[in-house]
């Protein structure tokens, strides 16, 4: 039963990627691949006022980012992206084994 | 104007003198986050005022008033959030120490209180340095007006 559920999760990841990918990315100048980019706004709770900030990130198949390390350059071609060039801050592990991975980004200097 | 308000206004005014310390400005009692596109801001808060008790009736009252400076700053590729915030706080403190009596309002000089920092991380590192400025000043016996 759990294996069936896990398989469903993997299929869901693939379908989500196929249907919701909204950009093309090149990591370290490599081959262009499709990915889902988001740049949500957050309020960091620092002090009484707080700080507005962004959390740019990419979701894409884990198999495409196994080589990715912190500090690599990422070029994002997307209408929803305010900046085109980013640097990888971290690669989040595929904890749920859905086959999808998340890259946390920062604007390139 | 009461003495505590007078001190708050003097500190904010001093921090606002040109050249500006930070692109997001100096604000009093601000509760709105640092906007996107701004690297930092300084928010000034009244942090309490304690009278120094005396056993003699009708004499002037000495106060210890605390003012909290919250210095928020974004880090970048070469500077961590706490580094950036502590540097901003240092610049603010230096600005205040350019007139340590606040135009004669203070008994003695402005005194430093504790300095702490905190950090967070989003697209860049974010930092805050919170420093307390302690102000000794005097009012009349039956008023909160500054003693002339």
């Amino acid at each position: 039963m759990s294996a069936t559920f896990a398989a469903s999760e993997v299929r869901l990841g693939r379908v989500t990627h196929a249907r919701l990918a909204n950009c093309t990315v090149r990591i370290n100048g490599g081959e262009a691949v499709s990915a889902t980019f988001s740049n949500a706004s957050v309020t960091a709770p620092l002090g009484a006022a707080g700080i507005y900030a962004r959390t740019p990130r990419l979701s894409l198949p884990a198999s495409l980012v196994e080589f990715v390390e912190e500090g690599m350059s990422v070029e994002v071609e997307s209408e929803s992206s305010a900046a085109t060039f980013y640097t990888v801050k971290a690669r989040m592990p595929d904890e749920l084994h859905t086959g999808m991975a998340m890259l946390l980004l920062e604007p390139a200097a | 104007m009461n003495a505590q308000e007078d001190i708050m206004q003097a500190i904010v005014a001093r921090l606002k003198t040109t050249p500006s310390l930070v692109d997001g400005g100096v604000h009093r009692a601000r509760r709105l986050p640092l906007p996107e596109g701004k690297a930092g801001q300084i928010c000034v808060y009244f942090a309490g005022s304690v009278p120094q008790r005396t056993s003699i009736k009708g004499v002037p009252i000495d106060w210890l008033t605390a003012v909290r400076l919250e210095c928020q700053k974004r880090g970048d590729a070469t500077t961590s959030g706490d580094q950036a915030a502590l540097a901003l706080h240092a610049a603010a403190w230096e600005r205040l120490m350019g007139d340590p009596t606040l135009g004669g309002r203070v008994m003695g000089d402005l005194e430093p209180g504790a300095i702490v920092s905190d950090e967070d991380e989003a697209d860049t590192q974010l930092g805050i340095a919170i420093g307390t400025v302690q102000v000794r000043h005097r009012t009349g016996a039956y008023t909160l007006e500054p003693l002339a």
Side-chain angles (χ1 to χ4, degrees):
Chain A
M1 188 67 178
S2 61
T4 303
F5 185 76
S8 296
E9 283 187 306
V10 171
R11 280 200 301 277
L12 179 63
R14 286 180 188 151
V15 171
T16 301
H17 175 67
R19 301 292 177 115
L20 298 182
N22 61 2
C23 67
T24 301
V25 298
R26 292 178 192 276
I27 301 173
N28 239 18
E31 184 181 346
V33 295
S34 62
T36 305
F37 175 83
S38 66
N39 196 16
S41 176
V42 295
T43 305
L46 291 178
I51 299 176
Y52 285 135
R54 291 282 178 171
T55 54
R57 57 187 60 198
L58 284 172
S59 174
L60 67 178
S63 59
L64 297 178
V65 295
E66 287 171 349
F67 69 96
V68 173
E69 296 176 356
E70 181 182 336
M72 285 185 169
S73 65
V74 178
E75 181 181 357
V76 178
E77 295 177 11
S78 165
E79 290 183 4
S80 63
S81 168
T84 305
F85 292 94
Y86 293 88
T87 301
V88 175
K89 279 178 77 104
R91 183 182 66 186
M92 294 176 66
D94 180 18
E95 291 176 324
L96 298 177
H97 304 287
T98 61
M100 300 299 290
M102 184 87 74
L103 298 181
L104 306 183
L105 308 176
E106 64 182 325
Chain B
M1 183 188 313
N2 73 55
Q4 287 77 10
E5 173 63 17
D6 186 38
I7 284 164
M8 284 294 292
Q9 288 191 15
I11 287 178
V12 171
R14 180 77 192 160
L15 293 173
K16 282 187 171 180
T17 55
T18 54
S20 62
L21 291 167
V22 63
D23 64 348
V26 176
H27 309 276
R28 179 167 170 182
R30 184 179 171 95
R31 294 282 175 172
L32 290 174
L34 173 66
E36 280 189 72
K38 298 294 184 186
Q41 68 181 3
I42 298 173
C43 301
V44 184
Y45 302 90
F46 179 69
S49 188
V50 179
Q52 310 299 297
R53 296 189 63 184
T54 173
S55 57
I56 305 173
K57 191 177 177 184
V59 298
I61 299 173
D62 293 345
W63 295 83
L64 185 60
T65 293
V67 178
R68 191 171 80 248
L69 307 182
E70 295 196 357
C71 304
Q72 301 171 318
K73 197 79 189 290
R74 299 179 197 275
D76 56 30
T78 59
T79 309
S80 65
D82 66 329
Q83 274 182 303
L86 284 165
L88 177 58
H89 176 267
W93 183 251
E94 187 175 334
R95 176 69 56 86
L96 290 176
M97 285 299 104
D99 180 11
T101 70
L102 279 184
R105 293 171 175 83
V106 181
M107 296 167 58
D109 288 338
L110 294 173
E111 299 170 24
I115 301 170
V116 297
S117 71
D118 196 6
E119 306 82 30
D120 203 345
E121 187 127 7
D123 51 351
T124 64
Q125 281 204 340
L126 311 166
I128 185 169
I130 302 173
T132 304
V133 180
Q134 305 206 79
V135 185
R136 293 184 191 278
H137 58 100
R138 181 170 288 173
T139 66
Y142 305 107
T143 176
L144 292 178
E145 299 289 315
L147 198 63

